[in-house]
């Protein structure tokens, strides 16, 4: 920590294992659990293979959590992966990881979730479109800031509201997150219980033809399975952000690894059970015929609860997305806060509020950029780049763990080592290479956004060197 930060107000360690575990679940359980059954069914896989895709994606995420949990033994400071990279590779790689979270990975995910939350509200209660007359005004021909203005206004309001609430104290933030996460877990469990006792003879009659592609088909099956697994991985994305809040966790070197593992295992159980219920209620051939933009879970809710089912399900989706957004807003700014403490971000982001003991300015920086991304509206492109850039740094995290275990810096036992980090490293590298081949434009733009941090890095470094001389 820089000398100037030593005399600053410190964050309060108020969060325990239960709250951090629910934060991990809150980060993961958003819209993916309700939407991914349709594209997974359309791969042509059968029920067992689809459930295996959810399980394998969860296990791979768990291996990643074991690797990050091993790195958590390095420090009890806030900042998560920024701090792990700083201690493993130095300031440059650490800064690029934090910059990527700020410029696209974290704030882009928050913008997309806020937009989806507002879309859900609009599906329940149609929103006005006050700037409709300006919706054709564009920037560079592809950014339409005034399109869907009613939805964007509600999305921005959600980001601002949760930022304000999370500025009032870490303990309050944790309590609110616990309430929202427990509510959405309860809603999902209700669907699972109702689904398990539901009887549908039509589904039983089609069991023999539910699979269009089988393991004996070789490469076509492997391709379909990987496609389904990538869809599942989107629903598991975000668990690593929980490590950002280490500076406000009691005994973080113990609780961060446990929370990551417990949170992913709880989420994996929910995902497998609810997808089993989906296919128990509606035959796979029916799910395959549904449009790609439809929400498969709405069809299931209508079967279970009649005409009101879709409304209740939309409310549950809104709660889940709202919870994921809140979890993002809690965790992400702690990374920028730590970067500022080290001198590699905007100075004011390193301040702690004297009364509430929260990184208020870091929260405001994150809020401002998330709102700008939301206004841009380029969410399909953002989501593609989030996955690509995220797995670039996941691969580097595994390399960091392997390096520090080999040179003896990390002496404690790491769950799953060496198998877990090597498997996760191979998978991350394969996914990154495949994304470059399949989506070269999005990958190039993602890399450019990462590299856009280089001039900022040297600006902050020069400023820090000048201040140290003085």
């Amino acid at each position: 920590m820089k000398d100037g930060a030593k005399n600053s107000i410190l964050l309060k360690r108020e969060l325990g294992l239960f709250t951090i575990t629910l934060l991990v679940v809150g980060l993961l359980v958003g819209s993916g659990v309700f939407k991914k059954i349709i594209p997974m069914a359309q791969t042509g896989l059968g029920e067992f293979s689809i459930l295996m895709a959810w399980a394998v994606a969860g296990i791979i995420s768990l291996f990643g959590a074991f690797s990050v949990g091993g790195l958590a033994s390095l420090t009890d400071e806030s900042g998560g992966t920024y701090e792990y990279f700083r201690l493993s590779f130095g300031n440059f790689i650490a800064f690029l990881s934090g910059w990527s979270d700020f410029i696209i990975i974290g704030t882009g995910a928050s913008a997309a979730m806020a937009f989806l939350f507002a879309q859900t509200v609009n599906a329940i209660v149609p929103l006005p479109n006050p700037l409709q007359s300006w919706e054709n005004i564009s920037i560079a021909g592809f950014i339409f800031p005034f399109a869907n203005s009613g939805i964007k206004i509600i999305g921005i309001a959600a980001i601002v509201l949760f930022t304000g609430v999370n500025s009032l104290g870490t303990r309050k933030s944790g309590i609110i997150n616990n309430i929202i996460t427990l509510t959405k877990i309860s809603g999902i469990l209700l669907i699972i219980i109702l689904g398990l006792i539901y009887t549908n003879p039509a589904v039983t009659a089609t069991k023999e033809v539910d699979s269009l592609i089988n393991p004996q088909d070789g490469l076509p099956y492997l391709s379909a399975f990987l496609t389904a697994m990538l869809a599942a991985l989107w629903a598991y994305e975000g668990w690593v952000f929980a490590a950002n809040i280490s500076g406000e966790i009691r005994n973080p070197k113990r609780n961060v690894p446990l929370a990551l593992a417990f949170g992913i295992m709880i989420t994996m159980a929910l995902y497998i059970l609810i997808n089993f219920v989906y296919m128990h209620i509606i035959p796979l051939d029916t799910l395959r015929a549904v449009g790609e933009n439809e929400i498969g879970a709405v069809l299931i809710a209508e079967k279970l609860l009649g005409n009101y089912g879709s409304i209740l399900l939309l409310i549950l989706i809104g709660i889940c997305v709202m919870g994921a957004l809140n979890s993002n807003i809690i965790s992400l700014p702690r990374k920028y806060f730590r970067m500022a403490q080290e001198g590699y971000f905007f100075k004011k982001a390193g301040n702690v509020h004297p009364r509430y003991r929260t990184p208020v300015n870091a929260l405001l920086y994150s809020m401002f950029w998330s709102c700008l991304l939301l206004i841009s509206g380029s969410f399909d492109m953002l989501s593609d780049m989030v996955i690509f850039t995220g797995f670039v740094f996941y691969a580097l995290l595994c390399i960091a763990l392997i390096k520090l275990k080999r040179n003896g810096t990390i002496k404690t036992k790491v769950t799953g080592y060496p198998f877990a980090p090597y498997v996760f490293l191979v998978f991350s590298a394969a996914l990154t290479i495949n994304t470059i081949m399949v989506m070269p434009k999005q990958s190039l733009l993602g890399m450019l956004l990462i590299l856009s941090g280089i001039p900022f890095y040297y600006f902050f470094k020069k400023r820090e060197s000048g201040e140290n001389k003085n």
Side-chain angles (χ1 to χ4, degrees):
M1 186 181 294
K2 300 298 178 186
D3 291 339
K6 288 181 180 177
N7 299 321
S8 62
I9 302 165
L10 299 176
L11 299 171
K12 292 178 71 174
R13 295 190 182 277
E14 297 185 303
L15 305 178
L17 178 60
F18 178 75
T19 296
I20 299 306
T21 300
L22 287 184
L23 177 66
V24 176
V25 177
L27 284 163
L28 296 180
V29 180
S31 64
V33 65
F34 305 109
K35 298 182 70 173
K36 292 303 180 182
I37 185 59
I38 298 299
M40 293 176 83
Q42 290 172 347
T43 61
L45 296 174
E47 284 189 13
F48 179 77
S49 294
I50 289 173
L51 295 178
M52 280 300 297
W54 281 105
V56 172
I59 291 168
I60 287 173
S61 299
L62 191 59
F63 284 173
F66 289 157
S67 301
V68 172
L71 292 168
S73 66
L74 290 170
T75 178
D76 55 8
E77 295 284 356
S78 292
T81 54
Y82 168 80
E83 190 69 0
Y84 307 153
F85 281 132
R86 188 182 69 84
L87 296 171
S88 304
F89 301 123
N91 290 324
F92 181 69
I93 297 297
F95 175 80
L96 287 185
S97 78
W99 180 259
S100 299
D101 267 0
F102 177 70
I103 203 73
I104 184 64
I105 299 175
T107 51
S110 293
M113 284 187 283
F115 190 85
L116 180 58
F117 169 72
Q119 280 183 314
T120 307
V121 173
N122 186 54
I124 300 170
V125 181
L127 299 171
N129 190 10
L131 304 179
Q132 187 172 7
S133 59
W134 295 354
E135 65 182 8
N136 293 322
I137 298 174
S138 71
I139 300 172
F142 68 95
I143 296 176
F144 294 86
F146 303 111
N148 301 306
S149 59
I151 290 174
K152 288 179 179 178
I153 289 169
I154 294 298
I156 289 170
I159 292 173
V160 172
L161 174 63
F162 283 122
T163 300
V165 169
N166 285 303
S167 298
L168 298 178
T170 303
R171 187 169 179 272
K172 293 184 179 70
S173 299
I175 292 171
I176 291 169
N177 185 75
N178 289 351
I179 293 170
I180 296 174
T181 302
L182 288 171
T183 299
K184 61 185 182 182
I185 290 174
S186 300
I188 292 171
L189 287 175
L190 178 61
I191 294 175
I192 290 170
I193 292 168
L194 292 175
L196 290 174
I197 62 177
Y198 179 84
T199 56
N200 188 354
V203 176
T204 305
T206 61
K207 288 289 182 185
E208 294 182 1
V209 294
D210 70 354
S211 181
L212 301 179
I213 300 178
N214 297 293
Q216 58 266 31
D217 294 330
L219 285 177
Y221 174 83
L222 180 61
S223 176
F225 186 82
L226 287 174
T227 300
M229 198 172 72
L230 289 175
L233 279 169
W234 172 254
Y236 284 107
E237 179 67 17
W239 51 267
V240 75
F241 294 152
N244 292 347
I245 204 167
S246 295
E248 291 149 284
I249 299 173
R250 296 191 294 270
N251 194 5
K253 293 182 180 181
R254 170 186 176 271
N255 287 334
V256 168
L258 289 175
L260 291 174
F262 291 158
I264 290 174
M265 287 190 285
I266 291 169
T267 303
M268 183 164 53
L270 291 174
Y271 284 172
I272 292 171
L273 284 171
I274 199 166
N275 278 275
F276 174 81
V277 163
Y278 292 159
M279 295 180 287
H280 172 65
I281 295 172
I282 296 182
L284 271 177
D285 56 349
T286 301
L287 290 171
R288 291 187 187 111
V290 176
E292 290 186 6
N293 293 324
E294 296 292 327
I295 300 175
V298 171
L299 303 177
I300 281 81
E302 289 174 345
K303 283 272 188 181
L304 287 173
L305 303 169
N307 294 332
Y308 295 105
S310 60
I311 298 296
L312 293 174
L313 197 281
L314 285 170
I315 292 172
L316 178 58
I317 292 174
I319 293 171
C320 287
V321 176
M322 180 175 64
L325 173 62
N326 182 61
S327 298
N328 249 33
I329 289 172
I330 291 173
S331 59
L332 280 167
R334 271 67 183 181
K335 193 167 192 175
Y336 321 139
F337 165 77
R338 182 61 182 153
M339 291 166 68
Q341 280 191 318
E342 289 297 312
Y344 287 93
F345 201 66
F346 305 106
K347 280 185 179 181
K348 290 185 178 180
N351 293 344
V352 176
H353 193 281
R355 177 180 176 186
Y356 301 121
R357 305 279 289 276
T358 54
V360 173
N361 290 333
L363 283 158
L364 292 175
Y365 277 115
S366 184
M367 178 193 78
F368 177 75
W369 190 249
S370 295
C371 289
L372 280 183
L373 290 176
L374 190 152
I375 291 169
S376 76
S378 304
F379 300 111
D380 291 333
M381 183 173 63
L382 285 173
S383 63
D384 292 336
M385 289 187 294
V386 164
I387 289 291
F388 170 73
T389 53
F391 272 89
V392 169
F393 288 105
Y394 284 157
L396 287 173
L397 283 170
C398 293
I399 294 171
L401 176 64
I402 294 166
K403 171 190 172 183
L404 296 179
K405 281 293 287 183
R406 284 184 172 179
N407 67 21
T409 302
I410 296 178
K411 296 181 174 64
T412 57
K413 181 181 178 181
V414 177
T415 304
Y417 185 87
F419 181 74
Y422 277 106
V423 170
F424 196 69
L425 174 60
V426 170
F427 180 81
S428 298
L431 180 62
T432 301
I433 293 168
N434 181 71
T435 306
I436 292 171
M437 294 171 62
V438 175
M439 296 184 293
K441 291 181 179 178
Q442 293 92 329
S443 301
L444 176 61
L445 188 52
M447 285 305 301
L448 289 174
L449 286 169
I450 292 174
L451 297 176
S452 71
I454 292 177
F456 285 91
Y457 170 78
Y458 284 105
F459 167 77
F460 292 130
K461 184 178 181 180
K462 183 178 179 180
R463 182 192 67 186
E464 188 69 10
S465 297
E467 290 180 353
N468 288 338
K469 286 179 182 179
N470 296 331

